[in-house]
Amino acid sequence: MNLEGRKIIVNKSSKELSELLKTPENYKGFMPDGLQKFETREDGFKFGLQGMPEIALKIDEVDDQKAVLKSASSSLDFSLTATLNPISENQTEVQMLFEGKFNPFIKMMVEKPLQNFINTLTDKIEAYK
């Protein structure tokens, strides 16, 4: 299952964004309303949203062109990638991409909440100052 967020322009360089996305604590500011739990770990974070199970993510790879988060649970196989495409010295195009391997029943249950989550992350990153 693949999901895409809309492309946005952020008024930061790709280097500034990659530095921001290397630090687990910084992701708390991008979480949707309804955040009930947020715990940082050395290589990632765990969060819980109202009405959803807790999700643990590890920061797998971050450079000036992308930030890749992967599931920290062996029972769920997915990744969430923020592509960072420099437009100018102080502007970067960002797009969230979700890729997951789910059976059809799970896919049916999670597709809409995941798309909403990606849309909210996109909105929060776009509004980030």
Side-chain angles (χ1 to χ4, degrees), residues 17-88:
L17 282 173
S18 66
E19 286 300 315
L20 177 77
L21 297 173
K22 284 179 183 174
T23 308
E25 295 85 34
N26 293 338
Y27 287 87
K28 186 173 186 178
F30 302 135
M31 290 291 119
D33 298 336
L35 183 68
Q36 295 190 314
K37 180 179 189 174
F38 190 89
E39 293 175 4
T40 58
R41 300 170 171 181
E42 186 179 321
D43 64 345
F45 56 94
K46 182 179 191 176
F47 68 96
L49 298 172
Q50 193 170 346
M52 286 182 65
E54 289 182 7
I55 298 171
L57 295 171
K58 65 180 181 188
I59 300 171
D60 188 58
E61 177 185 356
V62 178
D63 60 35
D64 290 358
Q65 297 174 2
K66 67 181 172 299
V68 181
L69 304 176
K70 292 198 172 180
S71 171
S73 166
S74 58
S75 62
L76 294 173
D77 183 9
F78 70 86
S79 65
L80 181 62
T81 302
T83 61
L84 309 175
N85 183 19
I87 293 174
S88 68

Side-chain angles (χ1 to χ4, degrees), residues 5 7 16 20 35-36 39 56 90 92 95 99 101 107:
K7 292 180 179 179
E16 283 178 279
L20 177 77
L35 183 68
Q36 295 190 314
E39 293 175 4
N90 294 314
T92 305
Q95 184 177 27
E99 187 177 324
K101 294 181 180 125
K107 179 185 176 195

